Amino acid sequence: MSHATTNHKMSAELEAHHHAFNDDKTQFGFWAYLMTDLVLFATLFATYAVLHNNTWGGPTAGELFSMPYVLVETMALLTSSFTVGMAMLAIFRFKQTQALIWFVITFLLGAVFLGMELYEFNHLVHEGLAWHASAFMSSFFTLVGTHGLHITVGLLWMGIMMFRIVKQGITHNNVRRLTLLSLFWHFLDIVWIFIFTFVYLMGAAAV
Amino acid sequence: MFSTLTTLFANAAAEVRFELLPPPYVIGIVGALAGLLVFAALLKFKGWSWITKTATYIWKEWLTSLDPKKIGVMYIIVAGLMGLRGVADALLLRTQQALTNTDIGNVMTSDQFQQVFTAHGTIMIFFMAMGLMFGIMNLVLPMQLGARDVAFPFMNSASFWLFTAGMILINLSLVFGEFAATGWLAYPPLSGIAYSPGVGVDYWIWTLQIAGIGSLLSGVNFFATIIKMRAPGMRLMKMPIFAWSSLCTTVLIMFAFPILTVTLALLSFDRLFGMHFFTSDFGGNPMMYVNLIWAWGHPEVYILVLPAFGIFSEIVPVFSRKRLFGYTSMVAALIAIMFLSFIVWLHHFFTMGAGANVNSFFGIMTMAIAIPTGVKVFNWLFTMYRGRIRFTAPMWWFLGFVLTFTLGGATGVMLAVPAIDFQVHNSLFLVAHFHNVIIGGVVFGFMAGLTYWFPKFAGFKLNETLGKIAASCWIVGFMVAFIPLYILGLMGATRRLDHYDPSLGWQWLFGVAGVGVLIIAAGIAMQLIQLVVSFIQRQKNIDLTGDPWDGRTLEWSTTSPPPHYNYAVTPTADHIDPFWYAKHDKKKAEAPKYVDILMPKNTGAGVFIGGFALVFGMAIVWKIWPLVFVGLFGAIVTIIIRATHDDPEYVITAKELQQMEAAHAKGGAA
Amino acid sequence: MSHNNNQHHATHGSYGSYVVGFILSIVLTLVAYVAIVNDWFTGMGALLFVTTLAVLQLFVQLLFFLHMGQERGPRWNFMTFVFAGIVVFIVVIGSIWIMYNLDYNMTHKMTPEQLDQSIIEDEGLGEQGTSDHHHEEQTEHHNH
């Protein structure tokens, strides 16, 4: 029979061995998935690089973006990458309340980032510069929007994990899942470095 | 008498006027009626309780299973069915071109012809070839590595069900609406909303998107399996070459499929949200689509062929009774091919106007990639040299491969020269080349693999004679079908046309090609008959030892079929061809020491994810937005529920293992 | 099985590593920002400068936040990242190179005369073009 017929328990030693192996394999698999996400973003960057000058008579990147605004966004996300690191250190030291506080801060910073980004998008749409205005706008909205979608998924994941820590405490499964979440969150900040650089800074750079 | 018959037949056909195939929804209605008929017959002759018992069995033991052996079988069944549909498409295409300038005339309209060749390509690549590949990997890879399962068993199931959702979606396009009429890669602007306003291209996009995500996740899964789950002692340079080829394939999958995901998404954004990535106006650049789709598309063809190479690396040593020649150079060749396949993609659009520097670079890289491939072919031949060869059916497929694939490779090197390519790009020469390498390489490789590993999973061998007849039909049929196409291409015949002017005098070549396809169809019929006959003869061909071919790798050390846990005790594998070594080792095997093991529990979550993906796909094709959200939301919730599941495994104790192994030894089935 | 029991605890880092990483990232971000906003560089210079800073920040975050390269045992995470990086480079730079090349021959931006002139200049056909033209004129003149 190829499914469970009885409810045996394993010895503690075998269980620990299995957990360590499982964690390592899962973390590696998730890292491999993040590498595929990297190529996904690379394709979006390539598309932006090729199409960003095709404004169809509309304003260019430099004319559209407020640099101080973007700097605040960037700092929010960067700080959240730091605070999620703090949260994970607390998790590994089994300090539940401290971890939760750091996660709440991370969540809020991420939400601020996302809110500012949505506000910027909304502003552009109201200026008549939505994603269908030109190839430049399409590639801008898609590249930045895909990153924002990933952030949204990360926030959702973070919310669920915070709930589970409150409910179950710092269990083995929760530690493994939080490790993956922190990898994801750091990865998203790394991608943002390049969006900030190539979309916003280079957009604003003088020719 | 004969001429009277042909005249009668031609007149009758002219009367019936099959210029128009019946509308696809007719197929749907007929299919539904046939299904109802089958169901009614079962109800009458077997009864309601038999139906519920069988359905429960299929759900519990197969659909919700996380056993890669079962998932592998399901992949192969789906891929086989879709292969039959792809072959039916091919028959339609060949028939149209063969009959168009005769008295019988057109078999279908031009629009139908375009949908048929689009469907043919899409189905063969994404569902037949990819499906067989994942099927064989699922069946063979964990066992070859000495493992019980893949790294992420649930994700494996989810991948299969996403693949199946895509399969169902593309078949629904046959009944509801239309399919894309753009060719299997759907270049814009033709595939944009302005020139393809119907649902056809949307079906194409979302079928590929859904199945593509399944493929990407499988790539990650098998990559982690090979890196992390090898048996103790099995260092990378001691792995079977099939495992090495799978490793390189998974790397290609992981880094190429995201490009496809993005490109399909961008096209769908153009169509759904009025964006301008690939439109002719508002700054869009259709050439960027061609660039990106082939940046995926070239690695894709190596994703298809590397596992086939790996299969040959398993088969040739076994049937030559000799270790594989040049293990290290085989590994080096695989790695070289893996790397080079990322820097050749422009050869698919030399004529798009990139200029001499760019074309030269990619032309040279393309020629370079033929070198490691040649190394592999020589190594297989050197393995055979001075071996004690058994010409079984798998070897017949291999020899067919050597004959056909080298021809296809040679024409590939010709095409790699931009100057030559400018003459034959998008001609029937190109069509002949890629069918040459795909059929000769990929298809023959998978046929050989299926024949070779069939006894392990079914418990009995396939009928040898029918297998050899089938292989012969395929080899001869392929030559008869495609050599004319090479000639036509060199004479200037453009691809994807449903008729050519009769004054060119080419019609007889299309007739020959049509005969070739019929020979291939006979080969397929032989294979179907082989399945039935082998099942009937299964007691005669039963495999009682688990090692019907005198194999070399670990999977042959299990029973046929293997127990669901593969190995009661994880084997150690300190040598290349570890099973061969163990069989000939003078040391007496120790008594096995059983320990408790963990196995994944069955779950329906994969089925639900596939189901919600199908709802999402159908809804977004037809722009039924509430259903789109239902599909999306349902899939996400299912994933979250599964991901937060804390107890996905169950224990098999050492004692239970001992009992099951003893029962197997007594000759009982798993 | 070929796995490392201790891998799970190998790569956590310390408070120090996160703080250093955070401060360095802030500095790199601000320097790039100030450089662009104040026009310290323009054109290709600006691109090289900010790209360098971005890549530096990438390494900072890989090292101090993701503890890359610090795993004990075979460095699979690192190798996977390197190969992914190579593919990223190929896709981005390759696409830019190819599309730029394709664009070169697109005539929608120029009039036919402008196109002729730009090709003559780019390909260095100046001498040849002129002498041919001369030759034609002479022949015509001769025929009259």
Side-chain angles (χ1 to χ4, degrees):
Chain A
M1 217 121 9
S2 59
H3 48 88
T5 44
T6 48
N7 229 342
H8 298 297
K9 291 294 286 170
M10 248 185 162
S11 75
E13 184 208 326
L14 275 172
E15 187 135 354
H17 175 93
H18 170 78
H19 272 144
F21 176 67
N22 196 39
D23 289 353
D24 176 55
K25 157 170 75 100
T26 308
Q27 202 167 320
F28 180 68
F30 191 74
W31 179 254
Y33 154 71
L34 284 180
M35 295 299 99
T36 71
D37 227 2
L38 191 64
V39 176
L40 189 130
F41 276 107
T43 314
L44 289 171
F45 272 106
T47 307
Y48 182 82
V50 168
L51 294 176
H52 74 281
N53 283 324
N54 298 6
T55 55
W56 200 246
T60 61
E63 291 153 10
L64 277 178
F65 306 135
S66 153
M67 291 310 290
Y69 190 80
V70 171
L71 186 65
V72 171
E73 262 185 297
T74 305
M75 286 302 168
L77 194 64
L78 175 57
T79 311
S80 76
S81 197
F82 170 71
T83 56
V84 86
M86 295 292 107
M88 288 313 292
L89 286 177
I91 289 281
F92 291 130
R93 287 160 175 74
F94 292 95
K95 300 212 165 98
Q96 184 164 327
T97 316
Q98 210 183 80
L100 277 170
I101 293 174
W102 282 114
F103 274 120
V104 166
I105 298 175
T106 309
F107 186 94
L108 288 173
L109 286 167
V112 162
F113 171 86
L114 195 62
M116 289 182 75
E117 190 162 274
L118 286 170
Y119 180 81
E120 183 191 24
F121 282 4
N122 189 49
H123 173 72
L124 284 168
V125 171
H126 278 124
E127 294 270 297
L129 287 164
W131 45 85
H132 43 73
S134 67
F136 162 59
M137 293 317 296
S138 299
S139 49
F140 168 78
F141 271 98
T142 305
L143 172 59
V144 180
T146 303
H147 179 267
L149 190 62
H150 279 74
I151 293 280
T152 310
V153 169
L155 289 174
L156 176 65
W157 189 359
M158 208 178 292
I160 294 174
M161 288 317 297
M162 288 193 283
F163 176 70
R164 290 182 76 78
I165 296 175
V166 167
K167 218 172 120 184
Q168 297 173 322
I170 301 181
T171 63
H172 193 96
N173 284 336
N174 287 342
V175 171
R176 186 182 66 244
R177 291 165 183 150
L178 285 169
T179 310
L180 302 185
L181 173 59
S182 70
L183 280 180
F184 188 65
W185 199 257
H186 288 310
F187 169 80
L188 287 176
D189 188 52
I190 288 177
V191 173
W192 182 258
I193 300 172
F194 290 94
I195 296 181
F196 174 65
T197 303
F198 293 118
V199 175
Y200 294 103
L201 286 184
M202 284 314 297
V207 179
Chain B
M1 159 87 171
F2 185 67
S3 65
T4 321
L5 273 175
T6 22
T7 320
L8 270 172
F9 176 67
N11 286 341
E15 279 300 303
V16 174
R17 228 39 195 125
F18 268 97
E19 178 171 86
L20 289 167
L21 286 175
Y25 63 77
V26 168
I27 302 174
I29 294 175
V30 168
L33 282 173
L36 273 168
L37 214 64
V38 168
F39 182 74
L42 283 172
L43 191 57
K44 176 147 185 3
F45 293 113
K46 291 281 194 173
W48 181 247
S49 67
W50 181 91
I51 292 181
T52 44
K53 225 168 46 143
T54 314
T56 313
Y57 168 80
I58 293 177
W59 174 262
K60 268 193 149 152
E61 295 295 325
W62 285 89
L63 304 187
T64 57
S65 171
L66 299 192
D67 183 347
K69 301 186 287 298
K70 297 216 162 122
I71 292 177
V73 169
M74 291 194 287
Y75 262 116
I76 291 173
I77 292 174
V78 171
L81 288 172
M82 290 304 272
L84 289 175
R85 194 185 143 182
V87 167
D89 284 331
L91 283 165
L92 281 170
L93 295 170
R94 281 278 135 259
T95 309
Q96 162 65 24
Q97 288 183 329
L99 295 181
T100 174
N101 288 325
T102 64
D103 288 331
I104 300 178
N106 286 328
V107 168
M108 59 181 93
T109 64
S110 289
D111 183 60
Q112 285 172 321
F113 186 82
Q114 285 159 20
Q115 288 181 49
V116 172
F117 71 63
T118 306
H120 170 75
T122 307
I123 287 172
M124 287 305 212
I125 299 224
F126 286 96
F127 293 101
M128 197 270 289
M130 296 290 281
L132 282 180
M133 178 187 86
F134 284 130
I136 293 179
M137 272 190 187
N138 263 295
L139 282 176
V140 174
L141 201 56
M143 273 205 291
Q144 266 201 351
L145 298 175
R148 295 200 171 92
D149 206 324
V150 295
F152 307 113
F154 169 68
M155 201 160 76
N156 201 15
S157 167
S159 286
F160 169 72
W161 285 108
L162 287 170
F163 171 78
T164 305
M167 180 275 279
I168 296 175
L169 193 58
I170 197 174
N171 282 308
L172 285 174
S173 79
L174 195 56
V175 181
F176 300 110
E178 58 182 6
F179 195 60
T182 55
W184 78 281
L185 280 179
Y187 286 1
L190 178 60
S191 59
I193 195 72
Y195 298 100
S196 287
V199 293
V201 174
D202 296 304
Y203 268 118
W204 178 84
I205 289 175
W206 294 105
T207 300
L208 265 53
Q209 198 71 294
I210 292 170
I213 292 179
S215 299
L216 182 62
L217 294 176
S218 282
V220 172
N221 210 341
F222 285 110
F223 180 67
T225 306
I226 296 170
I227 297 289
K228 293 288 181 183
M229 294 182 73
R230 284 166 280 135
M234 191 184 283
R235 302 176 65 83
L236 279 178
M237 290 305 275
K238 300 236 186 335
M239 281 201 305
I241 292 288
F242 178 71
W244 263 111
S245 72
S246 301
L247 180 64
C248 293
T249 306
T250 55
V251 171
L252 289 176
I253 293 174
M254 287 198 298
F255 296 135
F257 267 80
I259 303 174
L260 177 71
T261 309
V262 168
T263 313
L264 291 174
L266 298 184
L267 184 64
S268 74
F269 291 170
D270 273 6
R271 291 177 63 83
L272 283 171
F273 305 133
M275 295 209 200
H276 292 291
F277 291 101
F278 311 124
T279 53
S280 330
D281 52 3
F282 284 86
N285 193 340
M287 294 193 290
M288 186 56 176
Y289 178 93
V290 175
N291 173 54
L292 287 177
I293 205 82
W294 280 114
W296 163 81
H298 193 82
E300 164 69 4
V301 306
Y302 283 95
I303 290 169
L304 296 180
V305 89
L306 286 187
F309 289 167
I311 291 173
F312 290 131
S313 291
E314 296 298 311
I315 285 175
V316 175
V318 167
F319 293 111
S320 306
R321 282 196 192 282
K322 193 158 156 277
R323 210 167 115 157
L324 181 68
F325 184 92
Y327 182 98
T328 311
S329 61
M330 285 300 227
V331 173
L334 281 168
I335 295 175
I337 293 173
M338 175 182 81
F339 178 71
L340 283 170
S341 67
F342 277 108
I343 50 174
V344 298
W345 80 90
L346 187 126
H347 69 234
H348 297 275
F349 48 95
F350 277 136
T351 57
M352 203 155 75
N357 289 344
V358 176
N359 278 0
S360 315
F361 172 77
F362 282 98
I364 294 171
M365 288 299 126
T366 307
M367 295 172 94
I369 206 171
I371 298 174
T373 315
V375 166
K376 297 184 81 63
V377 177
F378 278 117
N379 279 356
W380 289 315
L381 296 176
F382 290 154
T383 306
M384 285 176 74
Y385 177 69
R386 304 263 228 144
R388 287 171 291 150
I389 305 172
R390 292 174 284 158
F391 284 103
T392 54
M395 280 303 266
W396 280 50
W397 288 111
F398 169 69
L399 293 171
F401 155 82
V402 174
L403 192 62
T404 45
F405 186 81
T406 40
L407 176 64
T411 55
V413 176
M414 285 171 66
L415 286 162
V417 180
I420 296 181
D421 187 75
F422 267 61
Q423 300 298 315
V424 288
H425 176 63
N426 272 352
S427 71
L428 291 180
F429 187 90
L430 173 69
V431 172
H433 159 74
F434 64 70
H435 280 94
N436 203 339
V437 283
I438 290 184
I439 293 178
V442 181
V443 174
F444 286 8
F446 289 152
M447 299 301 182
L450 287 172
T451 314
Y452 176 61
W453 279 301
F454 185 88
K456 173 54 56 186
F457 298 99
F460 57 92
K461 282 189 190 174
L462 286 168
N463 182 295
E464 269 290 300
T465 314
L466 288 173
K468 289 175 181 169
I469 297 176
S472 314
C473 286
W474 267 95
I475 297 167
V476 170
F478 166 80
M479 293 294 176
V480 176
F482 286 96
I483 303 274
L485 261 60
Y486 274 125
I487 299 170
L488 283 162
L490 286 172
M491 290 199 289
T494 310
R495 71 188 288 203
R496 289 179 174 164
L497 297 180
D498 60 16
H499 69 278
Y500 298 81
D501 200 290
S503 67
L504 290 162
W506 293 347
Q507 198 55 41
W508 71 277
L509 283 165
F510 285 107
V512 174
V515 170
V517 161
L518 288 174
I519 299 175
I520 294 179
I524 295 172
M526 281 295 121
Q527 288 174 297
L528 293 171
I529 295 172
Q530 182 195 36
L531 279 170
V532 173
V533 167
S534 306
F535 182 76
I536 295 171
Q537 291 180 335
R538 63 192 183 280
Q539 284 307 322
K540 197 172 86 165
N541 289 328
I542 197 167
D543 172 27
L544 289 168
T545 61
D547 184 18
W549 308 115
D550 198 14
R552 309 177 76 91
T553 41
L554 282 178
E555 73 268 27
W556 303 107
S557 69
T558 60
T559 56
S560 291
H564 61 278
Y565 46 81
N566 289 351
Y567 301 100
V569 177
T570 302
T572 39
D574 293 315
H575 305 86
I576 294 178
D577 293 343
F579 182 53
W580 185 261
Y581 181 84
K583 278 194 287 192
H584 296 93
D585 187 23
K586 300 290 190 293
K587 274 205 317 255
K588 191 175 177 305
E590 302 169 357
K593 283 199 275 277
Y594 299 110
V595 289
D596 296 350
I597 59 172
L598 279 169
M599 294 290 291
K601 290 184 193 163
N602 286 5
T603 172
V607 186
F608 283 109
I609 289 176
F612 281 118
L614 179 61
V615 166
F616 169 82
M618 200 56 179
I620 203 167
V621 164
W622 293 98
K623 321 284 186 296
I624 309 171
W625 297 109
L627 265 188
V628 169
F629 288 111
V630 165
L632 209 51
F633 187 69
I636 292 173
V637 165
T638 312
I639 293 171
I640 293 176
I641 292 176
R642 171 65 195 191
T644 51
H645 193 33
D646 277 325
D647 185 28
E649 291 164 317
Y650 69 99
V651 176
I652 304 184
T653 58
K655 187 146 161 274
E656 283 172 326
L657 281 174
Q658 195 170 23
Q659 287 167 344
M660 285 192 276
E661 289 291 286
H664 286 145
K666 281 221 195 77
Chain C
M1 302 188 196
S2 53
H3 59 274
N4 190 338
N5 280 353
N6 299 323
Q7 219 129 332
H8 163 62
H9 291 295
T11 52
H12 290 174
S14 59
Y15 285 109
S17 96
Y18 284 108
V19 170
V20 168
F22 186 40
I23 294 174
L24 282 175
S25 297
I26 292 180
V27 167
L28 288 165
T29 308
L30 285 175
V31 170
Y33 178 84
V34 167
I36 292 296
V37 164
N38 290 324
D39 283 339
W40 288 357
F41 304 90
T42 56
M44 184 54 77
L47 182 61
L48 282 169
F49 185 69
V50 298
T51 307
T52 311
L53 289 178
V55 171
L56 280 172
Q57 198 181 143
L58 166 70
F59 288 144
V60 162
Q61 293 204 14
L62 281 176
L63 186 62
F64 292 105
F65 288 176
L66 286 172
H67 319 298
M68 169 76 77
Q70 289 171 349
E71 358 163 27
R72 274 186 261 138
R75 312 215 299 194
W76 289 117
N77 288 2
F78 179 69
M79 283 195 269
T80 317
F81 171 72
V82 168
F83 197 87
I86 293 173
V87 172
V88 164
F89 181 84
I90 290 171
V91 169
V92 175
I93 302 298
S95 293
I96 293 174
W97 183 45
I98 291 170
M99 298 309 295
Y100 170 77
N101 238 273
L102 288 168
D103 208 52
Y104 177 84
N105 290 320
M106 293 297 279
T107 60
H108 60 260
K109 296 210 239 340
M110 312 182 205
T111 65
E113 291 78 25
Q114 284 175 322
L115 182 64
D116 278 348
Q117 196 54 39
S118 82
I119 291 179
I120 288 170
E121 277 165 17
D122 270 350
E123 309 277 322
L125 292 168
E127 305 278 333
Q128 215 182 332
T130 328
S131 66
D132 265 22
H133 188 68
H134 240 353
H135 184 74
E136 261 183 68
E137 269 195 277
Q138 274 191 322
T139 333
E140 277 186 67
H141 195 74
H142 187 75
N143 284 341
H144 287 331

